[in-house]
């Protein structure tokens, strides 16, 4: 399962879930922007970073990593990337590291070289199979679906879909959450077709509603706007981008201006 992609998509769409995993108020996400960062001088990228919206010394940077495969060299790479990033930027914020494992058995057993950092309180290790079983938010329950046993995953997904229908009022967010739940199940049941998955989860009916279709269209437009900065960096003009993405020139300009102000 492409777990890192799922988690980064989850944090991009619902950053509050990350802070719920840390047992912090979901509102903490309002002070952050989740993105990937690149150190151009060294040609490396860190995919999961929560950067404070304002450069306030009391607000830490969070470096998030999803690790679902055993890797003896993981911590050497993880800490090296963090310190190189801090060295090459002008940020003065404190920092925290967060590593998400499916179980403790996935983590490397020999961590002697990094025990001071791991025990310092700077690094939080989260084991999904040890999260509480009751009273969790729909976001946390969606995260736990990743490690749900196959024999109970479909039933759990249907419960989450029904919970999303009842609790999530924003139609665009509801659509994104339903797609994430479906994606997790698709990766779990690779032998089934998308149509079989949709029938198993009962998603066919909701996708035919006018509200869902409108939310889908809105999400597609947002996805197109996110590609504008990249296309500009390749040398495309505003008019060319508008034509290729089937957007108005004004929409492209606004997306470019928003990126430059970040």
């Amino acid at each position: 399962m492409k777990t890192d992609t799922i988690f980064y998509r989850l944090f991009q769409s619902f950053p509050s879930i990350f802070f719920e995993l840390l047992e912090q108020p979901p509102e903490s996400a309002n002070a952050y922007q989740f993105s990937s960062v690149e150190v151009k001088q060294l040609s490396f990228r860190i995919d999961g970073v929560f950067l404070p919206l304002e450069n306030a010394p009391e607000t830490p940077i969070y470096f998030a990593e999803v690790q679902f495969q055993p890797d003896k060299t993981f911590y050497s790479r993880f800490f090296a990337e963090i310190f190189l990033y801090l060295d090459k930027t002008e940020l003065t914020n404190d920092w925290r590291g967060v590593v998400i494992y499916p179980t403790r058995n996935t983590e490397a057993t020999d961590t002697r070289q990094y025990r001071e950092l791991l025990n310092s309180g700077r690094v939080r290790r989260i084991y999904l199979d040890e999260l509480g079983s009751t009273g969790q938010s729909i976001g946390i329950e969606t995260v736990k679906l990743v490690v749900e046993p196959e024999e109970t995953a479909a039933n759990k997904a249907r419960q989450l879909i029904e919970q999303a229908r009842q609790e999530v009022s924003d139609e665009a967010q509801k659509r994104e959450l339903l797609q994430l739940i479906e994606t997790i199940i698709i990766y779990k049941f690779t032998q089934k077709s998308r149509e079989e998955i949709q029938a198993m989860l009962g998603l066919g009916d909701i996708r035919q509603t006018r509200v869902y279709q409108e939310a889908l269209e809105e999400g597609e437009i947002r996805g197109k706007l996110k590609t504008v900065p990249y296309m500009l960096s390749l040398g495309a003009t505003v008019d060319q981008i508008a034509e290729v993405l089937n957007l108005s020139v004004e929409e492209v300009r606004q997306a470019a201006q928003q990126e430059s102000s970040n």
Side-chain angles (χ1 to χ4, degrees):
M1 184 187 297
K2 299 178 180 179
T3 48
D4 53 348
T5 302
I6 290 175
F7 274 90
Y8 297 142
R9 179 179 166 190
L10 188 68
F11 293 153
Q12 183 74 58
S13 301
F14 306 97
S16 60
I17 293 176
F18 176 79
F19 292 94
E20 288 186 77
L21 285 171
L22 298 179
E23 300 174 338
Q24 296 184 24
E27 295 78 17
S28 300
N30 297 335
Y32 286 88
Q33 177 184 9
F34 179 72
S35 63
S36 60
V37 295
E38 183 177 2
V39 180
K40 295 183 179 179
Q41 302 96 320
L42 302 172
S43 299
F44 78 85
R45 177 182 295 272
I46 305 175
D47 289 327
V49 183
F50 283 87
L51 288 172
L53 294 180
E54 297 181 359
N55 189 16
E58 70 278 3
T59 306
I61 305 167
Y62 284 96
F63 297 93
E65 186 78 25
V66 178
Q67 189 63 28
F68 269 53
Q69 299 296 329
D71 184 353
K72 294 180 180 179
T73 65
F74 167 73
Y75 283 120
S76 62
R77 185 178 67 255
F78 181 56
F79 290 123
E81 290 178 348
I82 290 174
F83 291 129
L84 284 171
Y85 175 75
L86 294 174
D87 179 58
K88 299 302 180 181
T89 64
E90 297 180 356
L91 296 174
T92 59
N93 302 67
D94 201 352
W95 65 273
R96 298 289 186 273
V98 179
V99 187
I100 299 174
Y101 291 106
T103 68
R104 289 182 183 270
N105 293 334
T106 312
E107 185 177 15
T109 55
D110 187 359
T111 59
R112 290 173 295 173
Q113 293 179 315
Y114 313 103
R115 59 176 176 266
E116 287 83 7
L117 282 168
L118 293 173
N119 296 330
S120 67
R122 284 191 179 276
V123 181
R124 176 76 177 272
R125 291 169 284 182
I126 296 172
Y127 309 99
L128 296 183
D129 66 332
E130 297 180 14
L131 294 176
S133 58
T134 59
Q136 303 287 344
S137 71
I138 187 171
I140 298 297
E141 292 297 334
T142 301
V143 169
K144 290 164 58 178
L145 182 62
V146 175
V147 293
E148 186 78 18
E150 187 171 312
E151 58 269 21
T152 57
N155 184 57
K156 180 65 176 180
R158 285 192 292 269
Q159 294 175 6
L160 287 171
I161 289 169
E162 183 59 31
Q163 188 177 352
R165 288 172 170 171
Q166 296 178 6
E167 296 182 6
V168 183
S169 57
D170 183 280
E171 292 299 331
Q173 284 194 336
K174 183 187 298 183
R175 172 193 56 80
E176 179 67 17
L177 187 58
L178 293 179
Q179 287 184 341
L180 282 165
I181 293 171
E182 179 186 3
T183 299
I184 293 171
I185 296 300
I186 286 174
Y187 283 132
K188 280 184 173 292
F189 295 91
T190 55
Q191 74 281 8
K192 293 185 179 294
S193 67
R194 182 176 290 270
E195 290 73 21
E196 290 175 316
I197 295 293
Q198 291 177 2
M200 181 172 63
L201 301 182
L203 286 172
D205 293 339
I206 189 173
R207 293 192 168 182
Q208 301 306 315
T209 64
R210 179 179 60 82
V211 172
Y212 185 90
Q213 291 298 325
E214 289 176 350
L216 181 62
E217 181 179 354
E218 180 184 342
E220 289 176 347
I221 292 175
R222 287 205 303 267
K224 290 179 180 180
L225 293 175
K226 288 181 180 179
T227 68
V228 169
Y230 177 69
M231 295 180 72
L232 286 171
S233 70
L234 295 178
T237 66
V238 170
D239 290 338
Q240 289 171 334
I241 296 172
E243 181 177 355
V244 170
L245 297 181
N246 194 26
L247 296 171
S248 70
V249 172
E250 183 59 31
E251 286 175 322
V252 175
R253 285 176 177 165
Q254 289 179 359
Q257 291 173 356
Q258 183 176 359
E259 176 65 18
S260 63
S261 64
N262 290 338

